[in-house]
Amino acid sequence: MKRLFMILLSVFCCFITISCATDNPPSTESNNSDSSLTDTLTTNILTTETSKTFLSLTLAGNSLDGYTIVYAASPYESLSQEMNLVTDFDCQTATKLQKMLKEYTGIELPVLKDSERTETEKEIRVGKTNRLTEDVPQEFGYRISLSSGNLTICGAEYGVTWHAVDTFLAPLIGGTDMNLEEGYFLEGTFPLTTIACIGDSITYGEHNRMRSYPAFLGFLLWQDYSVINYGHAGTTMRSDLGTPYKNTKAFADCKAADADIYLLMLGTNDSYWDPQWTDTDDQRFLNSCIEILNAVDPDKKAEIFILNCPVYYGSGKYASEQVRTLQEQLPKILVDQGYNAGFFDMYAFTKESLPAKYFPDQIHPTSEEYRIIAEELYKFIIKK
């Protein structure tokens, strides 16, 4: 009996051993399998990274090696340093070109300001550098040329030069080598969205157009927009009192702008000249606005934004509530007239964001506050 028990115990142990071997393969075999899979994936990744085929770009028979990208110095450098502004627009375009060339050709070129480098051969010149010897096309035009082995990419506006880089490198982007011969020449246009700013001295800028909200707005939107200041100090919306805006050179210039967007901020001076408003005065104000817009946008194809008066911290008659109410009503009236019109509450924004200390004369913001206004309008425009 004892012998039979020992035989049965041996059989049971063998069964358990076989079951474990089946359910759990040897760990060394599993590790080898996982390691093999990891090695295969790593090899595929490395092969993909190292097998990227770069394209060729030669200039008058010269390889890109040895070239330097040279950009034009910003005319706003002193203002940029004083107010911590980013105004090195051609530098940004040159850096964009540098990155794109590295991506498609594998060659990373140095980037230098024109004033920091003695003129030599083998340069790619971006923007209106001090090496530019020919006029740049106007009306959003650009010119790309290869002369004496040096390549020049330059547009009439900073944003046009930015987009001209994309046009120039289109063959590389499409997967084609570029081997350019001496005398290569390409000319074209890239229309930016034009914003015309209509207004009085608050638009023009207190004593300095370069410290106005249109100037700062242009700095923020430079890649895709051209912002033009058509402000004229002391002007009124109404054509029957004060200094009517429609009698100024700024208005005459604005009529020729053919802008895509109009920002209209007139009315602060109107309430000063005629504080005793009646229904007749209301209608004259509205009619004058329509008269101005009929002249600058006769086809009613642009976007119109009415900006009401900024906050006024004085005790005089400027920027009355009556005028602000009319300004707020204008968009609906303009829409009924067939315009594509909207409203930006400049009064509410400046009252909430800009305390009285930022208005030295109680009505005109300081340079820093003009910049804050521009930043708010920037957000408004890109989200519309």
Side-chain angles (χ1 to χ4, degrees), residues 193-229:
T193 299
T194 302
I195 300 177
C197 302
I198 298 172
D200 48 40
S201 60
I202 300 174
T203 295
Y204 180 87
E206 179 66 355
H207 309 305
N208 193 334
R209 288 167 66 96
M210 289 313 303
R211 297 171 184 271
S212 63
Y213 92 74
F216 293 131
L217 184 60
F219 292 161
L220 295 170
L221 292 169
W222 70 274
Q223 290 181 6
D224 296 296
Y225 292 78
S226 176
V227 182
I228 308 173
N229 189 338

Coordinates of all heavy atoms in Angstrom, one line a residue, residues 193-229:
T193 N -3.1 92.5 -45.7 CA -4.4 93.1 -45.3 C -4.1 94.5 -44.8 O -3.3 94.7 -43.8 CB -5.0 92.2 -44.2 OG1 -5.3 90.9 -44.7 CG2 -6.4 92.8 -43.8
T194 N -4.7 95.5 -45.4 CA -4.5 96.8 -45.0 C -5.5 97.3 -44.0 O -6.7 97.2 -44.2 CB -4.6 97.8 -46.3 OG1 -3.6 97.3 -47.2 CG2 -4.3 99.2 -45.9
I195 N -5.0 97.9 -42.9 CA -5.9 98.5 -41.9 C -5.7 100.0 -41.9 O -4.5 100.5 -41.7 CB -5.6 98.0 -40.5 CG1 -5.8 96.4 -40.4 CG2 -6.4 98.6 -39.4 CD1 -5.4 95.8 -39.1
A196 N -6.7 100.8 -42.1 CA -6.7 102.2 -42.1 C -7.2 102.8 -40.8 O -8.4 102.4 -40.5 CB -7.4 102.8 -43.3
C197 N -6.5 103.5 -40.1 CA -6.9 104.1 -38.8 C -7.3 105.5 -39.0 O -6.5 106.4 -39.2 CB -5.8 103.9 -37.7 SG -5.3 102.2 -37.5
I198 N -8.6 105.8 -38.8 CA -9.2 107.2 -39.0 C -9.4 107.7 -37.6 O -10.0 107.1 -36.7 CB -10.5 107.1 -39.8 CG1 -10.2 106.6 -41.2 CG2 -11.1 108.5 -39.9 CD1 -11.4 106.3 -42.0
G199 N -9.0 109.0 -37.4 CA -9.3 109.6 -36.1 C -8.7 111.0 -35.9 O -8.2 111.6 -36.8
D200 N -8.7 111.4 -34.7 CA -8.2 112.7 -34.3 C -6.8 112.5 -33.7 O -6.1 111.6 -34.1 CB -9.1 113.5 -33.4 CG -9.6 112.6 -32.2 OD1 -8.8 111.8 -31.7 OD2 -10.8 112.6 -31.8
S201 N -6.4 113.4 -32.8 CA -5.0 113.3 -32.2 C -4.8 112.1 -31.4 O -3.7 111.6 -31.2 CB -4.8 114.6 -31.3 OG -5.7 114.6 -30.2
I202 N -5.9 111.5 -30.9 CA -5.8 110.3 -30.1 C -5.3 109.1 -31.0 O -4.7 108.2 -30.6 CB -7.1 109.9 -29.3 CG1 -7.4 111.1 -28.4 CG2 -6.9 108.6 -28.6 CD1 -8.8 110.9 -27.7
T203 N -5.7 109.2 -32.3 CA -5.2 108.2 -33.3 C -3.9 108.6 -33.8 O -3.0 107.8 -33.9 CB -6.2 108.1 -34.4 OG1 -7.5 107.6 -33.9 CG2 -5.7 107.2 -35.5
Y204 N -3.7 109.9 -34.1 CA -2.4 110.4 -34.7 C -1.3 110.1 -33.7 O -0.2 109.7 -34.1 CB -2.5 111.9 -35.0 CG -1.2 112.4 -35.6 CD1 -1.0 112.4 -36.9 CD2 -0.3 113.0 -34.7 CE1 0.2 112.9 -37.5 CE2 0.9 113.5 -35.3 CZ 1.1 113.4 -36.6 OH 2.3 113.9 -37.2
G205 N -1.5 110.3 -32.4 CA -0.5 110.1 -31.4 C -0.1 111.5 -30.9 O 0.2 112.4 -31.7
E206 N 0.0 111.6 -29.7 CA 0.3 112.9 -29.1 C 1.8 113.3 -29.4 O 2.7 112.8 -28.8 CB 0.1 112.9 -27.6 CG 0.4 114.2 -26.9 CD -0.5 115.4 -27.2 OE1 -1.4 115.2 -28.1 OE2 -0.4 116.4 -26.6
H207 N 1.9 114.2 -30.4 CA 3.2 114.7 -30.9 C 4.1 113.7 -31.6 O 5.2 114.1 -32.1 CB 4.0 115.3 -29.7 CG 3.2 116.3 -28.8 ND1 2.6 117.4 -29.4 CD2 2.9 116.3 -27.5 CE1 2.0 118.0 -28.4 NE2 2.1 117.4 -27.3
N208 N 3.7 112.5 -31.7 CA 4.6 111.5 -32.3 C 3.9 110.3 -32.9 O 3.3 109.5 -32.1 CB 5.6 111.0 -31.2 CG 6.8 110.2 -31.8 OD1 6.7 109.6 -32.9 ND2 7.9 110.2 -31.2
R209 N 3.8 110.2 -34.2 CA 3.1 109.1 -34.9 C 3.7 107.8 -34.5 O 3.0 106.7 -34.6 CB 3.1 109.3 -36.4 CG 2.2 110.5 -36.8 CD 2.5 110.8 -38.3 NE 2.2 109.8 -39.2 CZ 1.0 109.7 -39.8 NH1 0.1 110.6 -39.7 NH2 0.8 108.7 -40.7
M210 N 5.0 107.7 -34.3 CA 5.7 106.4 -34.0 C 5.3 105.9 -32.6 O 5.7 104.8 -32.3 CB 7.2 106.5 -34.1 CG 7.6 106.7 -35.6 SD 6.9 105.5 -36.7 CE 7.3 104.0 -36.0
R211 N 4.6 106.7 -31.8 CA 4.2 106.2 -30.5 C 2.7 106.2 -30.4 O 2.1 106.4 -29.3 CB 4.8 107.1 -29.4 CG 6.3 107.1 -29.4 CD 6.9 108.1 -28.4 NE 8.4 108.2 -28.5 CZ 9.1 107.4 -27.7 NH1 8.6 106.6 -26.8 NH2 10.4 107.5 -27.8
S212 N 2.1 106.0 -31.5 CA 0.6 106.0 -31.6 C 0.1 104.5 -31.5 O 0.9 103.6 -31.7 CB 0.1 106.6 -32.9 OG 0.6 105.9 -34.0
Y213 N -1.2 104.4 -31.3 CA -1.7 103.0 -31.3 C -1.6 102.3 -32.7 O -1.3 101.1 -32.8 CB -3.1 102.9 -30.7 CG -4.2 103.0 -31.7 CD1 -4.6 102.0 -32.6 CD2 -5.0 104.2 -31.9 CE1 -5.6 102.1 -33.5 CE2 -6.0 104.3 -32.8 CZ -6.3 103.2 -33.6 OH -7.3 103.3 -34.5
P214 N -1.8 103.1 -33.8 CA -1.6 102.4 -35.1 C -0.2 101.9 -35.3 O 0.1 100.9 -35.9 CB -1.9 103.5 -36.1 CG -2.9 104.4 -35.4 CD -2.4 104.4 -34.0
A215 N 0.8 102.7 -34.8 CA 2.2 102.3 -35.0 C 2.5 101.0 -34.2 O 3.1 100.0 -34.8 CB 3.2 103.4 -34.5
F216 N 2.1 100.9 -33.0 CA 2.3 99.7 -32.2 C 1.5 98.5 -32.7 O 1.9 97.4 -32.7 CB 1.9 100.0 -30.7 CG 2.8 101.0 -30.1 CD1 2.3 102.0 -29.3 CD2 4.2 100.8 -30.2 CE1 3.2 102.9 -28.7 CE2 5.1 101.7 -29.5 CZ 4.5 102.8 -28.8
L217 N 0.3 98.8 -33.2 CA -0.5 97.7 -33.8 C 0.2 97.2 -35.1 O 0.1 96.0 -35.3 CB -1.9 98.3 -34.2 CG -2.9 97.3 -34.7 CD1 -3.2 96.2 -33.7 CD2 -4.2 98.0 -35.1
G218 N 0.8 98.1 -35.8 CA 1.5 97.6 -37.0 C 2.7 96.7 -36.6 O 3.0 95.7 -37.3
F219 N 3.4 97.0 -35.5 CA 4.5 96.2 -35.0 C 4.0 94.8 -34.7 O 4.7 93.8 -34.9 CB 5.1 96.8 -33.8 CG 5.9 98.1 -34.1 CD1 6.2 99.0 -33.1 CD2 6.3 98.5 -35.4 CE1 6.9 100.2 -33.3 CE2 7.0 99.6 -35.6 CZ 7.3 100.5 -34.6
L220 N 2.8 94.7 -34.1 CA 2.3 93.4 -33.7 C 1.8 92.6 -34.9 O 1.8 91.3 -34.8 CB 1.1 93.6 -32.7 CG 1.5 94.3 -31.4 CD1 0.3 94.6 -30.6 CD2 2.4 93.3 -30.5
L221 N 1.3 93.2 -35.9 CA 0.6 92.5 -37.0 C 1.5 92.5 -38.3 O 1.0 92.1 -39.4 CB -0.7 93.2 -37.4 CG -1.8 93.1 -36.3 CD1 -2.9 94.1 -36.7 CD2 -2.4 91.7 -36.2
W222 N 2.8 92.7 -38.2 CA 3.6 93.0 -39.3 C 3.7 91.9 -40.4 O 3.8 92.2 -41.6 CB 5.0 93.4 -38.9 CG 5.8 92.2 -38.3 CD1 5.8 91.7 -37.1 CD2 6.7 91.4 -39.0 NE1 6.6 90.6 -36.9 CE2 7.2 90.4 -38.1 CE3 7.2 91.3 -40.4 CZ2 8.1 89.4 -38.5 CZ3 8.1 90.3 -40.7 CH2 8.5 89.4 -39.8
Q223 N 3.5 90.7 -40.0 CA 3.7 89.6 -41.0 C 2.6 89.5 -42.0 O 2.8 89.1 -43.1 CB 3.8 88.2 -40.2 CG 5.1 88.1 -39.5 CD 5.2 86.7 -38.8 OE1 4.3 85.8 -38.9 NE2 6.2 86.5 -38.0
D224 N 1.4 89.9 -41.6 CA 0.2 89.8 -42.5 C -0.6 91.0 -42.7 O -1.5 91.0 -43.5 CB -0.7 88.6 -42.0 CG 0.0 87.3 -42.0 OD1 0.4 86.8 -43.1 OD2 0.2 86.7 -40.9
Y225 N -0.3 92.1 -42.0 CA -1.1 93.3 -42.1 C -0.2 94.5 -42.3 O 1.0 94.6 -41.9 CB -1.9 93.5 -40.8 CG -3.0 92.6 -40.5 CD1 -2.7 91.3 -40.0 CD2 -4.3 92.9 -40.8 CE1 -3.7 90.4 -39.7 CE2 -5.3 92.0 -40.5 CZ -5.0 90.7 -40.0 OH -6.0 89.8 -39.7
S226 N -0.8 95.5 -43.0 CA -0.1 96.8 -43.1 C -1.1 97.8 -42.5 O -2.2 98.0 -42.9 CB 0.1 97.2 -44.6 OG 0.6 98.5 -44.7
V227 N -0.6 98.5 -41.4 CA -1.4 99.4 -40.6 C -1.0 100.8 -40.9 O 0.2 101.1 -40.7 CB -1.3 99.1 -39.1 CG1 -2.3 100.0 -38.3 CG2 -1.7 97.6 -38.8
I228 N -1.9 101.6 -41.3 CA -1.6 103.0 -41.7 C -2.4 104.0 -40.9 O -3.6 103.8 -40.6 CB -2.0 103.2 -43.2 CG1 -1.3 102.1 -44.1 CG2 -1.5 104.6 -43.7 CD1 -1.8 102.2 -45.5
N229 N -1.7 105.0 -40.4 CA -2.2 106.0 -39.5 C -2.8 107.2 -40.3 O -2.0 107.9 -40.9 CB -1.1 106.5 -38.5 CG -1.7 107.4 -37.4 OD1 -2.8 108.0 -37.6 ND2 -0.9 107.5 -36.4

